[in-house]
Amino acid sequence: MTEPVPVIRKLEHALADDDFAWSLLLVGEDQTDKLATLTGDLRGPVSTTGDGKQITSGFSYWGIGPTIAWANATNDPFYLVMKAGAESFLRHWRKVRPHVENGGFHLVSLGVGTGVKDRTILSDMRRHNRDMYYIPVDMSSEMLRMGTLEPVRGARFPVSQVLPVQLDFSIADNMDELAQMLARLVGKDPILFTLTGNTLANFESDEELLSTLTRVLRPQDRLLLEVASTTQLDQASADAAADEYHQTRAFAEFVTSALRYNTDLKINNDRVKFIGEVEDEDALLVKILWQNDTDAEIRMELPDHTEVVLPIGDTIRLYTTRKYSTTRLKRLTEACQLTPVEAIQSQFRYTRRPNPFGLELLLLAPEAAGESAHSLADDIWAT
């Protein structure tokens, strides 16, 4: 009696010459748990400052409505962080690339986005490792399908070496499971993890997220981190950071889309507030809120068909983002025991007046790697 052929192997052959738009997806979480989490977050306490009810980072991209809204926002020329990131990434990446060209790296993309940056990375890395795997990870299966099209079609990366994983990577247990699966998949080969597009800034506790991610790095692995940066830390700069996001309607449509598609709340963009503040004296924090600024309470139906009362002044936090100072980045990386291997920074150049905002791309190694980069790190943080 012959042994049965594993279904994955048979599936690979079955899809090899099929031009239908199939996509494979490894689902790591029960989606009913995610809906229950979102519903619970929207039942938070009353707050006038955005610290009660909230939509946490991954849910902003969860579902086909928010995914389409995100795709539209990325094409809006007034969404400056996204526009500048797309324009500067190739230039920044070329300076980081020599550190990960050799050694047989695989790519794990945390928060796949539009896939444009992954396409650039994969095009370069595959020249040195034809057998590399590409593992995009995202809480949204719709984002994974959209984001992997660009590398597969644009960079002609083989579908048979792509493994999209639906998983909320901000949960420590999920990262542990992912790390164990990756170790079985690639063995001792090094992995380049990427967290680009200022994704770190979207989480309520950026240090907790960075610690969760770097805890699973092995000495041979590296983390590519892209963040928005600022050289000034004052209220005027915080207000300017908030205005930067306020000036794009497509971004407002994106940040309200999760609320629009998961509740019956009628969204009026005039009730969406963009609030900037200096956080911990080393970063600029922008909170984007929906607020009941009417003179009456509003009732909102949740996904489980229960109702929540929104009193006058109550808020729902829709999105959080930051701009980092060098001091904050140094504090975060030291707290997470990461050593900078390379850092590239550029300023926005779209205004006549000096602008404090820019983007930074960091290649980081776990301290266990024993990188002899401490003197380099000092140079990087001294700039």
Side-chain angles (χ1 to χ4, degrees):
M1 182 176 177
T2 58
E3 290 291 326
V5 178
V7 67
I8 296 292
R9 191 170 302 163
K10 290 202 73 172
L11 192 57
E12 181 184 340
H13 290 294
L15 299 180
D17 298 319
D18 195 326
D19 59 1
F20 189 73
W22 297 107
S23 59
L24 290 173
L25 176 67
L26 186 62
V27 178
E29 289 181 295
D30 187 335
Q31 296 302 283
T32 59
D33 293 343
K34 308 310 291 182
L35 188 61
T37 300
L38 175 62
T39 304
D41 288 344
L42 290 172
R43 283 202 190 95
V46 174
S47 168
T48 59
T49 59
D51 297 316
K53 302 169 185 65
Q54 61 177 312
I55 292 173
T56 52
S57 178
F59 288 103
S60 298
Y61 308 83
W62 194 58
I64 189 62
T67 297
I68 292 172
W70 168 247
N72 291 336
T74 59
N75 290 319
D76 187 341
F78 294 97
Y79 187 2
L80 294 176
V81 170
M82 179 59 63
K83 182 171 181 282
E87 291 173 349
S88 66
F89 184 78
L90 179 58
R91 186 172 70 253
H92 289 180
W93 164 249
R94 281 173 176 163
K95 295 183 179 178
V96 170
R97 184 177 62 193
H99 298 284
V100 291
E101 280 185 335
N102 300 315
F105 277 85
H106 303 274
L107 177 64
V108 174
S109 175
L110 302 170
V112 63
T114 61
V116 172
K117 293 172 185 175
D118 287 354
R119 180 191 65 190
T120 299
I121 296 171
L122 287 167
S123 295
D124 286 338
M125 290 179 64
R126 191 160 180 265
R127 293 194 193 102
H128 300 272
N129 182 13
R130 303 293 294 177
D131 299 325
M132 71 174 293
Y133 292 121
Y134 170 45
I135 301 119
V137 183
D138 203 290
M139 202 179 97
S140 167
S141 57
E142 291 82 4
M143 286 291 295
L144 283 166
R145 182 175 169 93
M146 182 188 74
T148 53
L149 283 178
E150 187 69 29
V152 169
R153 293 180 179 174
R156 297 184 181 277
F157 194 86
V159 176
S160 59
Q161 291 167 227
V162 181
L163 179 61
V165 177
Q166 179 277 318
L167 198 72
D168 183 350
F169 57 78
S170 69
I171 297 175
D173 287 347
N174 285 352
M175 278 305 295
D176 290 342
E177 293 293 338
L178 178 65
Q180 292 173 30
M181 186 273 283
L182 291 172
R184 292 191 290 270
L185 184 68
V186 307
K188 295 182 179 179
D189 290 354
I191 296 173
L192 174 65
F193 291 84
T194 61
L195 188 68
T196 57
N198 202 29
T199 303
L200 179 67
N202 302 147
F203 288 80
E204 184 169 356
S205 173
D206 49 3
E207 181 175 332
E208 182 179 334
L209 175 68
L210 192 59
S211 176
T212 296
L213 303 185
T214 57
R215 193 166 52 84
V216 303
L217 293 183
R218 305 164 301 172
Q220 65 269 40
D221 298 334
R222 298 291 181 267
L223 173 65
L224 187 69
L225 179 66
E226 185 185 39
V227 294
S229 61
T230 181
T231 56
Q232 295 180 12
L233 295 166
D234 51 45
Q235 189 56 48
S237 298
D239 293 340
D243 285 344
E244 182 185 291
Y245 288 93
H246 197 184
Q247 61 187 310
T248 160
R249 181 174 179 81
F251 183 77
E253 294 292 330
F254 159 62
V255 294
T256 55
S257 61
L259 201 57
R260 195 187 305 274
Y261 282 92
N262 289 288
T263 72
D264 69 344
L265 190 66
K266 292 185 178 178
I267 307 295
N268 180 336
N269 283 352
D270 290 340
R271 298 198 180 106
V272 179
K273 319 294 183 187
F274 294 73
I275 301 170
E277 59 187 65
V278 179
E279 182 186 48
D280 299 331
E281 299 182 349
D282 57 11
L284 302 179
L285 175 70
V286 176
K287 291 194 292 189
I288 304 167
L289 323 170
W290 174 93
Q291 185 166 39
N292 179 10
D293 59 1
T294 69
D295 56 2
E297 69 179 27
I298 295 175
R299 292 180 176 272
M300 174 177 72
E301 186 174 307
L302 299 179
D304 63 354
H305 303 299
T306 60
E307 271 194 346
V308 165
V309 175
L310 303 163
I312 298 171
D314 197 11
T315 57
I316 302 170
R317 186 188 296 201
L318 305 174
Y319 204 74
T320 299
T321 191
R322 295 179 178 84
K323 290 183 183 295
Y324 290 90
S325 68
T326 300
T327 302
R328 176 63 160 261
L329 290 173
K330 182 179 181 182
R331 177 163 69 81
L332 283 178
T333 53
E334 288 182 347
C336 297
Q337 299 183 321
L338 289 165
T339 299
V341 177
E342 191 64 84
I344 313 297
Q345 201 269 343
S346 63
Q347 296 298 116
F348 288 173
R349 298 174 180 172
Y350 60 89
T351 61
R352 293 188 181 91
R353 297 176 180 175
N355 189 302
F357 304 144
L359 286 163
E360 192 146 344
L361 189 67
L362 299 167
L363 183 66
L364 301 161
E367 280 189 356
E371 280 275 338
S372 57
H374 294 289
S375 59
L376 174 60
D378 292 340
D379 293 341
I380 288 171
W381 297 131
T383 58

